[in-house]
Amino acid sequence: MALFAAIMVVLGLFPLIELPLVPAPVTAQTLGVMLAGSIVGARRGSLAILVFVVMVAVGLPVLPGGRGGLGVILGPTGGFILAYPVGALVVGLLTERLWRRYNLGWALLCNAVGGALVIYLIGIPYMAVAAGLPLDKAVLGSVVFLPGDLVKTVIGSLAAVAVRKSYPMIEVPRDRA
Amino acid sequence: MLSLHHEARTPVHAVPAGLKLLVLFVVGTGSFFVRSIPVLGGALVAVAGCYALARIPWRMAVRQWLVVLPFVAVIFVVQGLLVDWGSAVLVAERIVVLVALAALVTLTTRTAAMVAAVERLLGPLRRLGVRPERVGLVVAMTIRFVPVLKEQADQVRAAQRARGVEYSARFLTPLLVKTLRLADGLGEALEARGVDEDDSRL
Amino acid sequence: MIELDGVSHWYGQRQVLADLTLSLGERRVGVVGSNGSGKSTFARLLNGLLVPGEGQVRVDGLDTRKQGKAVRRKVGFVFQDPDVQIVMPTVGEDLAFGLKHRGQDKAEIARRVDAALAQYGLAELREHPAHLLSGGQKQLLAIAAVLITEPTHVIFDEPTTLLDLGNRRRIARLIRDMDQQVVVVSHDLDLLADFDRVLVFDRGRVVADGKPDGCIATYQAMHPPL
């Protein structure tokens, strides 16, 4: 758990990909959300990401660019961060359900739903309320994140499938007594 | 890892973390019901007063806000064009008050005190099997492993560069496998150090 | 006293230890063997991190299978890589960690942490972030963090493998001066040279057992130089 929370922080240190056409910074951290859910499963994955959110809330500079603190969470984009653990939970639940026939296709689906869709579903209304914007305008404003999320979904899914091959964690009950 | 906390002895710093969070909650909720530009403007002045009282250096305050300000500007313009300029001012004021106050809480409260407050807030979850007193421990462990993982990430990337792969998102897979190995080792080490079995998967 | 009684262990289908019956009463026991010979598994059996697939391991009469927690309190374990063993961000916090988990009161924890910092020459480093320590300092911290809980036995799994010569000697001196019973798994033959007893592992069996000179010679003979 601590390790996946730490991975989130480390992902924040790397400017993952700079997409030439996208003005908004593409944070690699939603990638961490996908990976946590699809690699260690719903329970442990979402708890790890929750730890990360707690770290943001208590004022540790763990977001990209050394940001953090309650100001970020209560700001207009705070909903996206609060949605991270839920996203990891959904990714994890879907992945666990599809584990036996898990492949790149299913991975893409799990990660797109949990790692992007769920986060939009929570983040956008939050932004609409916080910024007093009509919902459709908030949706429109979030479109800039779409290309980045597409790329991250693909990367996250490739990694999840590869890790499942070399180091499966879900389903295998670990027999460390 | 450095905290965003700014150490100083001022009345604002002295307020208990729980009370600060409560004030933040009340102001946060309240601000959605206030539809008066002067009242929110007053709140803004009050928050600025608190910053002065807490003796927060200018640069530090600005750094905290900088991330929100462009956003507020965009929202202000969009609001103004779509709805009317009155509500644009209102919304902008509200966001600034909220973010500035929240940032102030972060700046004037020690991380340890915040962690303790979070542990208290999560108290009711005890019935669901969550153990809030673990929060501080897990946060500390996470801080410990950030540099370890950063180093591993750098190593993996260096190894790939040595093999002629300049940049590739594929560095994720070896990094994750290394991390999972590390997690296994860590679980073992925690167990060896006397942490109960069901806790050793922190 | 550590006793193994008919101990075998498997990972899946692969047998890693075959029918070991041993009783270790000497103060310093060394274990050598090639990679995959089963010595790391052996080490993990001694403090109940692993329970044997078959047979019984007892530490001072406590069965690792039934009284694992009590055994782990008696038997400290030092890993090869201190980076997995150090779990707290600073030196002082990491030293306090094991004691906190044993429910010691704060004053006692503070007293023992102070004593340990002084004893292992870490006093300047109390607030120092663990990741900025050198390799030797990290291993020293890992060992100090185990010894601070006052175990009666300490198992070392290749404690010097990642260290340079100076730090190896430092750790070797530390092990030599310990009062506890120690079991040291190592490729570092110098480290074991003055031990009371050395076991040589090969493919899950003990193929030599006795004084260091003879056993180390046997081990070296198994791997003739070019």
Side-chain angles (χ1 to χ4, degrees):
Chain A
M1 229 161 88
L3 282 165
F4 253 89
I7 278 212
M8 282 292 278
V9 183
V10 173
L11 284 174
L13 301 174
F14 290 107
L16 182 68
I17 307 144
E18 274 126 79
L19 291 169
L21 298 174
V22 181
V26 178
T27 151
Q29 279 170 333
T30 53
L31 190 57
V33 171
M34 299 176 194
L35 292 170
S38 49
I39 290 172
V40 294
R43 203 184 97 86
R44 282 195 283 164
S46 58
L47 281 174
I49 305 303
L50 187 63
V51 168
F52 174 79
V53 174
V54 168
M55 291 177 77
V56 175
V58 301
L60 291 164
V62 291
L63 289 170
R67 291 182 302 124
L70 286 168
V72 183
I73 289 191
L74 289 185
T77 53
F80 290 99
I81 290 161
L82 291 173
Y84 284 177
V86 186
L89 183 75
V90 172
V91 172
L93 288 174
L94 289 174
T95 307
E96 283 168 11
R97 187 136 302 181
L98 296 166
W99 190 243
R100 279 177 200 287
R101 47 194 158 130
Y102 197 70
N103 58 28
L104 187 59
W106 290 119
L108 285 169
L109 180 76
C110 296
N111 288 330
V113 172
L117 191 63
V118 168
I119 292 177
Y120 285 126
L121 282 180
I122 297 172
I124 294 177
Y126 189 101
M127 184 163 75
V129 173
L133 283 174
L135 199 57
D136 55 330
K137 296 295 177 298
V139 171
L140 210 62
S142 304
V143 166
V144 289
F145 294 111
L146 259 182
D149 279 323
L150 272 176
V151 173
K152 279 181 281 182
T153 305
V154 174
I155 294 174
S157 303
L158 284 170
V161 171
V163 172
R164 179 183 183 262
K165 270 191 209 134
S166 49
Y167 212 101
M169 295 284 290
I170 295 177
E171 193 181 66
V172 192
R174 290 204 293 165
D175 55 358
R176 180 182 293 133
Chain B
M1 187 183 313
L2 289 172
S3 156
L4 296 169
H5 168 250
H6 171 67
E7 184 71 58
R9 280 168 183 277
T10 74
V12 183
H13 285 77
V15 178
L19 187 58
K20 278 186 218 169
L21 289 176
L22 185 70
V23 170
L24 184 60
F25 178 75
V26 170
V27 173
T29 318
S31 68
F32 280 92
F33 297 101
V34 177
R35 300 204 56 84
S36 137
I37 294 175
V39 171
L40 279 177
L44 203 56
V45 172
V47 172
C50 290
Y51 268 79
L53 196 62
R55 280 182 275 151
I56 303 291
W58 257 108
R59 279 159 180 269
M60 202 175 275
V62 169
R63 200 175 117 76
Q64 283 277 309
W65 301 344
L66 216 54
V67 276
V68 218
L69 285 180
F71 214 92
V72 174
V74 171
I75 289 169
F76 180 74
V77 173
V78 172
Q79 277 277 339
L81 295 176
L82 287 178
V83 194
D84 62 88
W85 293 101
S87 40
V89 173
L90 211 59
V91 167
E93 274 182 338
R94 189 170 71 210
I95 295 174
V96 173
V97 165
L98 211 61
V99 170
L101 193 64
L104 183 68
V105 172
T106 296
L107 286 168
T108 60
T109 314
R110 283 170 169 280
T111 307
M114 286 294 275
V115 169
V118 168
E119 287 180 354
R120 275 202 303 281
L121 276 174
L122 294 178
L125 292 181
R126 205 181 290 275
R127 259 172 250 155
L128 298 175
V130 175
R131 281 191 281 176
E133 63 277 9
R134 294 271 173 230
V135 172
L137 176 68
V138 181
V139 167
M141 280 177 44
T142 304
I143 295 172
R144 154 77 184 113
F145 281 100
V146 166
V148 176
L149 287 181
K150 171 82 169 64
E151 204 180 297
Q152 302 241 329
D154 290 342
Q155 268 178 26
V156 170
R157 291 177 84 179
Q160 291 193 334
R161 229 169 260 152
R163 289 164 64 184
V165 184
E166 249 335 292
Y167 190 90
S168 155
R170 280 183 182 276
F171 90 98
L172 263 178
T173 308
L175 174 63
L176 288 165
V177 171
K178 274 187 162 209
T179 306
L180 294 175
R181 292 240 162 82
L182 191 62
D184 271 356
L186 176 64
E188 206 174 30
L190 282 171
E191 215 175 311
R193 292 184 70 176
V195 179
D196 304 348
E197 275 152 29
D198 50 321
D199 296 343
S200 60
R201 291 180 189 163
L202 297 168
Chain C
M1 175 70 85
I2 300 176
E3 294 157 297
L4 287 85
D5 203 353
V7 167
S8 299
H9 196 74
W10 291 265
Y11 289 125
Q13 298 291 312
R14 193 167 63 89
Q15 183 161 22
V16 284
L17 289 177
D19 196 24
L20 293 180
T21 298
L22 283 168
S23 118
L24 308 172
E26 292 77 6
R27 201 168 66 76
R28 285 178 299 162
V29 179
V31 178
V32 294
S34 43
N35 297 326
S37 61
K39 53 192 188 339
S40 277
T41 307
F42 174 73
R44 282 163 175 69
L45 288 172
L46 301 184
N47 79 334
L49 273 179
L50 283 176
V51 291
E54 219 168 70
Q56 204 186 35
V57 180
R58 288 184 305 273
V59 179
D60 293 341
L62 296 172
D63 186 340
T64 58
R65 196 189 309 272
K66 292 177 197 130
Q67 290 141 301
K69 204 170 169 185
V71 169
R72 279 192 289 279
R73 291 200 167 198
K74 286 178 82 74
V75 186
F77 199 106
V78 177
F79 293 81
Q80 175 183 350
D81 183 359
D83 261 334
V84 304
Q85 186 151 3
I86 301 169
V87 295
M88 287 286 123
T90 66
V91 172
E93 283 174 282
D94 195 67
L95 285 171
F97 175 83
L99 297 174
K100 268 191 196 154
H101 273 274
R102 281 167 171 70
Q104 295 278 355
D105 64 88
K106 276 194 178 153
E108 174 66 11
I109 294 177
R111 194 188 63 75
R112 284 215 231 167
V113 169
D114 285 340
L117 287 168
Q119 185 181 350
Y120 300 105
L122 298 168
E124 322 274 275
L125 302 174
R126 178 197 288 271
E127 304 289 330
H128 203 76
H131 73 275
L132 295 179
L133 298 174
S134 71
Q137 286 172 324
K138 277 186 194 169
Q139 191 57 290
L140 202 60
L141 170 60
I143 295 174
V146 167
L147 294 182
I148 199 170
T149 61
E150 300 179 349
T152 52
H153 311 255
V154 184
I155 317 297
F156 291 85
D157 187 10
E158 303 188 26
T160 57
T161 304
L162 302 173
L163 302 181
D164 62 26
L165 186 62
N167 280 310
R168 278 186 199 193
R169 300 226 157 122
R170 201 160 156 203
I171 300 297
R173 267 197 300 279
L174 205 147
I175 292 174
R176 187 189 64 203
D177 296 337
M178 280 167 52
D179 301 322
Q180 290 94 340
Q181 180 181 32
V182 296
V183 177
V184 182
V185 172
S186 186
H187 294 295
D188 181 356
L189 300 177
D190 294 340
L191 177 67
L192 309 178
D194 64 341
F195 272 37
D196 304 310
R197 181 177 174 185
V198 170
L199 307 173
V200 182
F201 272 71
D202 187 41
R203 280 167 269 170
R205 291 169 198 280
V206 176
V207 294
D209 178 358
K211 289 285 166 198
D213 295 352
C215 283
I216 289 173
T218 309
Y219 178 57
Q220 283 169 329
M222 285 161 61
H223 305 279
L226 286 175

